[in-house]
Short mmCIF file of all heavy atoms in Angstrom, two decimals:
data_model
loop_
_atom_site.label_atom_id
_atom_site.label_comp_id
_atom_site.label_asym_id
_atom_site.label_seq_id
_atom_site.Cartn_x
_atom_site.Cartn_y
_atom_site.Cartn_z
N GLN A 61 -9.46 -7.32 -21.78
CA GLN A 61 -8.42 -6.93 -20.81
C GLN A 61 -9.03 -6.49 -19.63
O GLN A 61 -9.81 -5.51 -19.52
CB GLN A 61 -7.63 -5.82 -21.53
CG GLN A 61 -6.38 -5.39 -20.67
CD GLN A 61 -5.69 -4.24 -21.22
OE1 GLN A 61 -5.92 -3.81 -22.42
NE2 GLN A 61 -4.71 -3.67 -20.52
N VAL A 62 -8.57 -7.15 -18.49
CA VAL A 62 -9.12 -6.85 -17.19
C VAL A 62 -7.97 -6.54 -16.26
O VAL A 62 -6.96 -7.32 -16.13
CB VAL A 62 -9.86 -8.05 -16.56
CG1 VAL A 62 -10.38 -7.80 -15.19
CG2 VAL A 62 -11.06 -8.35 -17.61
N ASP A 63 -8.00 -5.39 -15.51
CA ASP A 63 -7.08 -5.06 -14.58
C ASP A 63 -7.76 -4.88 -13.17
O ASP A 63 -8.70 -4.13 -12.99
CB ASP A 63 -6.36 -3.80 -14.99
CG ASP A 63 -5.12 -3.50 -14.19
OD1 ASP A 63 -4.62 -4.34 -13.41
OD2 ASP A 63 -4.57 -2.39 -14.32
N TYR A 64 -7.25 -5.60 -12.15
CA TYR A 64 -7.81 -5.49 -10.75
C TYR A 64 -6.81 -4.61 -10.03
O TYR A 64 -5.76 -4.94 -9.65
CB TYR A 64 -7.92 -6.89 -10.16
CG TYR A 64 -8.33 -6.81 -8.66
CD1 TYR A 64 -9.34 -6.09 -8.26
CD2 TYR A 64 -7.60 -7.67 -7.73
CE1 TYR A 64 -9.75 -6.06 -6.95
CE2 TYR A 64 -8.04 -7.66 -6.41
CZ TYR A 64 -9.11 -6.85 -5.94
OH TYR A 64 -9.49 -6.80 -4.70
N ARG A 65 -7.35 -3.35 -9.60
CA ARG A 65 -6.53 -2.47 -8.77
C ARG A 65 -7.30 -1.83 -7.73
O ARG A 65 -7.68 -0.68 -7.81
CB ARG A 65 -6.06 -1.32 -9.84
CG ARG A 65 -5.16 -1.74 -10.97
CD ARG A 65 -3.77 -2.23 -10.36
NE ARG A 65 -3.14 -1.10 -9.69
CZ ARG A 65 -2.43 -0.20 -10.29
NH1 ARG A 65 -2.25 -0.10 -11.51
NH2 ARG A 65 -1.94 0.81 -9.55
N PRO A 66 -7.56 -2.54 -6.61
CA PRO A 66 -8.42 -2.05 -5.62
C PRO A 66 -7.84 -0.79 -4.90
O PRO A 66 -8.61 -0.02 -4.34
CB PRO A 66 -8.48 -3.28 -4.65
CG PRO A 66 -7.32 -4.05 -4.91
CD PRO A 66 -6.98 -3.93 -6.41
N GLU A 67 -6.48 -0.69 -4.81
CA GLU A 67 -5.92 0.44 -4.15
C GLU A 67 -6.24 1.79 -4.74
O GLU A 67 -6.25 2.84 -4.09
CB GLU A 67 -4.42 0.21 -4.07
CG GLU A 67 -3.71 0.50 -5.51
CD GLU A 67 -3.63 -0.72 -6.32
OE1 GLU A 67 -4.30 -1.72 -6.06
OE2 GLU A 67 -3.05 -0.69 -7.46
N LEU A 68 -6.63 1.78 -6.08
CA LEU A 68 -7.03 3.06 -6.78
C LEU A 68 -8.24 3.64 -6.15
O LEU A 68 -8.50 4.91 -6.21
CB LEU A 68 -7.19 2.88 -8.25
CG LEU A 68 -5.96 2.48 -8.96
CD1 LEU A 68 -6.28 2.18 -10.54
CD2 LEU A 68 -4.75 3.39 -8.87
N ALA A 69 -9.10 2.87 -5.54
CA ALA A 69 -10.37 3.35 -4.91
C ALA A 69 -10.07 4.34 -3.78
O ALA A 69 -10.88 5.18 -3.45
CB ALA A 69 -11.23 2.24 -4.43
N MET A 70 -8.85 4.22 -3.19
CA MET A 70 -8.50 5.11 -2.07
C MET A 70 -7.58 6.18 -2.51
O MET A 70 -7.02 6.91 -1.71
CB MET A 70 -7.79 4.27 -1.01
CG MET A 70 -8.74 3.16 -0.51
SD MET A 70 -10.15 3.72 0.36
CE MET A 70 -9.33 4.44 1.81
N ASP A 71 -7.22 6.25 -3.80
CA ASP A 71 -6.21 7.21 -4.33
C ASP A 71 -6.85 7.95 -5.54
O ASP A 71 -6.65 7.53 -6.64
CB ASP A 71 -4.98 6.47 -4.77
CG ASP A 71 -3.82 7.40 -5.11
OD1 ASP A 71 -4.05 8.52 -5.43
OD2 ASP A 71 -2.60 6.98 -5.17
N ALA A 72 -7.58 9.05 -5.28
CA ALA A 72 -8.27 9.76 -6.23
C ALA A 72 -7.44 10.21 -7.44
O ALA A 72 -7.86 10.01 -8.60
CB ALA A 72 -9.00 10.90 -5.69
N PRO A 73 -6.20 10.84 -7.24
CA PRO A 73 -5.50 11.22 -8.39
C PRO A 73 -4.93 10.07 -9.19
O PRO A 73 -4.99 10.20 -10.48
CB PRO A 73 -4.25 11.94 -7.70
CG PRO A 73 -4.74 12.40 -6.38
CD PRO A 73 -5.66 11.30 -5.89
N ALA A 74 -4.55 8.99 -8.61
CA ALA A 74 -4.16 7.86 -9.38
C ALA A 74 -5.33 7.22 -10.15
O ALA A 74 -5.23 6.83 -11.31
CB ALA A 74 -3.56 6.82 -8.42
N LEU A 75 -6.54 7.17 -9.52
CA LEU A 75 -7.66 6.61 -10.25
C LEU A 75 -8.02 7.49 -11.40
O LEU A 75 -8.21 6.96 -12.55
CB LEU A 75 -8.89 6.66 -9.28
CG LEU A 75 -10.24 6.19 -9.91
CD1 LEU A 75 -10.12 4.79 -10.49
CD2 LEU A 75 -11.29 6.21 -8.81
N ARG A 76 -8.05 8.78 -11.28
CA ARG A 76 -8.38 9.70 -12.35
C ARG A 76 -7.40 9.45 -13.56
O ARG A 76 -7.72 9.60 -14.73
CB ARG A 76 -8.45 11.13 -11.96
CG ARG A 76 -9.51 11.46 -11.07
CD ARG A 76 -9.36 12.77 -10.37
NE ARG A 76 -10.51 13.13 -9.45
CZ ARG A 76 -10.58 14.24 -8.75
NH1 ARG A 76 -9.57 15.12 -8.75
NH2 ARG A 76 -11.61 14.35 -8.06
N ALA A 77 -6.11 9.26 -13.20
CA ALA A 77 -5.08 9.03 -14.29
C ALA A 77 -5.32 7.87 -15.06
O ALA A 77 -4.97 7.71 -16.23
CB ALA A 77 -3.71 9.13 -13.59
N ARG A 78 -5.89 6.84 -14.40
CA ARG A 78 -6.15 5.56 -15.05
C ARG A 78 -7.44 5.57 -15.96
O ARG A 78 -7.65 4.62 -16.78
CB ARG A 78 -6.12 4.33 -14.10
CG ARG A 78 -4.79 4.09 -13.42
CD ARG A 78 -3.76 3.66 -14.34
NE ARG A 78 -4.09 2.37 -15.00
CZ ARG A 78 -3.75 1.19 -14.46
NH1 ARG A 78 -3.01 1.15 -13.37
NH2 ARG A 78 -4.03 0.17 -15.16
N LEU A 79 -8.39 6.37 -15.57
CA LEU A 79 -9.76 6.24 -16.09
C LEU A 79 -9.79 6.75 -17.61
O LEU A 79 -10.79 6.29 -18.35
CB LEU A 79 -10.67 7.22 -15.35
CG LEU A 79 -11.23 6.62 -13.99
CD1 LEU A 79 -12.09 7.67 -13.22
CD2 LEU A 79 -11.88 5.31 -14.10
N TYR A 80 -8.89 7.45 -18.11
CA TYR A 80 -8.90 8.02 -19.47
C TYR A 80 -8.89 6.88 -20.50
O TYR A 80 -9.47 7.12 -21.63
CB TYR A 80 -7.95 9.09 -19.71
CG TYR A 80 -6.54 8.52 -20.10
CD1 TYR A 80 -6.10 8.49 -21.33
CD2 TYR A 80 -5.62 8.02 -19.02
CE1 TYR A 80 -4.90 7.94 -21.68
CE2 TYR A 80 -4.38 7.63 -19.33
CZ TYR A 80 -4.02 7.49 -20.65
OH TYR A 80 -2.85 7.13 -20.98
N LYS A 81 -8.37 5.75 -20.11
CA LYS A 81 -8.44 4.62 -21.14
C LYS A 81 -9.49 3.47 -20.74
O LYS A 81 -9.49 2.52 -21.47
CB LYS A 81 -7.07 3.98 -21.18
CG LYS A 81 -5.96 4.77 -21.86
CD LYS A 81 -4.61 4.05 -21.91
CE LYS A 81 -3.48 4.73 -22.59
NZ LYS A 81 -2.32 4.03 -22.72
N THR A 82 -10.22 3.79 -19.72
CA THR A 82 -11.11 2.73 -19.25
C THR A 82 -12.38 2.70 -19.90
O THR A 82 -13.11 3.76 -20.06
CB THR A 82 -11.35 2.85 -17.65
OG1 THR A 82 -10.05 2.73 -17.04
CG2 THR A 82 -12.30 1.77 -17.11
N GLU A 83 -12.92 1.56 -20.33
CA GLU A 83 -14.21 1.42 -20.98
C GLU A 83 -15.21 0.88 -20.12
O GLU A 83 -16.46 1.13 -20.26
CB GLU A 83 -14.07 0.51 -22.23
CG GLU A 83 -13.17 1.12 -23.30
CD GLU A 83 -13.08 0.26 -24.52
OE1 GLU A 83 -13.62 -0.95 -24.53
OE2 GLU A 83 -12.50 0.69 -25.58
N ALA A 84 -14.92 0.04 -19.05
CA ALA A 84 -15.83 -0.48 -18.05
C ALA A 84 -15.21 -0.43 -16.72
O ALA A 84 -14.01 -0.74 -16.66
CB ALA A 84 -16.27 -1.79 -18.50
N LEU A 85 -15.97 -0.01 -15.70
CA LEU A 85 -15.42 0.18 -14.36
C LEU A 85 -16.32 -0.42 -13.41
O LEU A 85 -17.52 -0.32 -13.39
CB LEU A 85 -15.37 1.69 -14.09
CG LEU A 85 -14.88 2.16 -12.65
CD1 LEU A 85 -13.39 1.81 -12.53
CD2 LEU A 85 -15.06 3.66 -12.64
N VAL A 86 -15.79 -1.33 -12.45
CA VAL A 86 -16.50 -1.83 -11.30
C VAL A 86 -16.09 -1.25 -10.05
O VAL A 86 -14.85 -1.24 -9.77
CB VAL A 86 -16.24 -3.40 -11.34
CG1 VAL A 86 -16.98 -4.04 -10.12
CG2 VAL A 86 -16.84 -3.99 -12.63
N VAL A 87 -17.02 -0.67 -9.28
CA VAL A 87 -16.66 0.16 -8.04
C VAL A 87 -17.20 -0.52 -6.93
O VAL A 87 -18.30 -1.09 -6.96
CB VAL A 87 -17.05 1.62 -8.27
CG1 VAL A 87 -16.37 2.22 -9.49
CG2 VAL A 87 -18.49 1.72 -8.44
N PRO A 88 -16.62 -0.21 -5.63
CA PRO A 88 -17.22 -0.57 -4.44
C PRO A 88 -18.48 0.32 -4.10
O PRO A 88 -18.49 1.40 -4.64
CB PRO A 88 -16.17 -0.52 -3.42
CG PRO A 88 -15.24 0.47 -3.98
CD PRO A 88 -15.31 0.30 -5.53
N PRO A 89 -19.48 -0.10 -3.30
CA PRO A 89 -20.62 0.69 -3.01
C PRO A 89 -20.27 1.97 -2.40
O PRO A 89 -21.18 2.96 -2.44
CB PRO A 89 -21.47 -0.20 -2.22
CG PRO A 89 -20.55 -1.14 -1.55
CD PRO A 89 -19.46 -1.42 -2.52
N TRP A 90 -19.26 2.19 -1.65
CA TRP A 90 -18.96 3.38 -0.92
C TRP A 90 -18.26 4.44 -1.80
O TRP A 90 -18.21 5.64 -1.35
CB TRP A 90 -18.11 3.12 0.32
CG TRP A 90 -16.85 2.34 0.02
CD1 TRP A 90 -16.72 1.04 0.17
CD2 TRP A 90 -15.65 2.81 -0.44
NE1 TRP A 90 -15.32 0.60 -0.28
CE2 TRP A 90 -14.74 1.76 -0.63
CE3 TRP A 90 -15.15 4.10 -0.74
CZ2 TRP A 90 -13.47 1.86 -1.10
CZ3 TRP A 90 -13.81 4.27 -1.21
CH2 TRP A 90 -13.00 3.16 -1.30
N LEU A 91 -17.85 4.08 -2.96
CA LEU A 91 -17.06 5.11 -3.80
C LEU A 91 -18.05 6.00 -4.39
O LEU A 91 -19.04 5.55 -5.17
CB LEU A 91 -16.30 4.45 -4.84
CG LEU A 91 -15.41 5.33 -5.76
CD1 LEU A 91 -14.28 5.89 -4.85
CD2 LEU A 91 -14.92 4.55 -6.90
N ARG A 92 -17.93 7.30 -4.30
CA ARG A 92 -18.77 8.32 -4.99
C ARG A 92 -18.39 8.47 -6.44
O ARG A 92 -17.21 8.68 -6.80
CB ARG A 92 -18.58 9.67 -4.34
CG ARG A 92 -19.36 10.79 -4.99
CD ARG A 92 -19.40 12.02 -4.17
NE ARG A 92 -20.08 11.87 -3.00
CZ ARG A 92 -21.37 11.91 -2.80
NH1 ARG A 92 -22.21 12.05 -3.79
NH2 ARG A 92 -21.98 11.70 -1.63
N VAL A 93 -19.46 8.22 -7.34
CA VAL A 93 -19.22 8.45 -8.81
C VAL A 93 -20.17 9.61 -9.21
O VAL A 93 -21.39 9.46 -9.24
CB VAL A 93 -19.68 7.12 -9.52
CG1 VAL A 93 -19.55 7.38 -11.06
CG2 VAL A 93 -18.81 5.95 -9.03
N ASP A 94 -19.52 10.69 -9.51
CA ASP A 94 -20.33 11.86 -9.96
C ASP A 94 -19.73 12.43 -11.21
O ASP A 94 -18.80 11.83 -11.85
CB ASP A 94 -20.27 12.96 -8.80
CG ASP A 94 -18.74 13.29 -8.35
OD1 ASP A 94 -17.91 13.02 -9.19
OD2 ASP A 94 -18.67 13.79 -7.32
#
């Protein structure tokens, strides 16, 4: 199952809400992952 949602990279609250079910994540180089 693949979902392409580039707008979430600019919306931290929405991204966090989607991450709890995510098993693999592809991010742009400028996004901080900590």
Side-chain angles (χ1 to χ4, degrees):
Q61 182 184 350
V62 178
D63 193 11
Y64 174 48
R65 296 291 303 276
E67 72 279 4
L68 295 179
M70 303 295 293
D71 188 342
L75 174 59
R76 291 170 178 175
R78 294 296 296 271
L79 284 178
Y80 78 101
K81 289 185 177 181
T82 299
E83 296 181 351
L85 178 66
V86 176
V87 300
W90 51 264
L91 183 70
R92 177 170 294 278
V93 178
D94 53 19

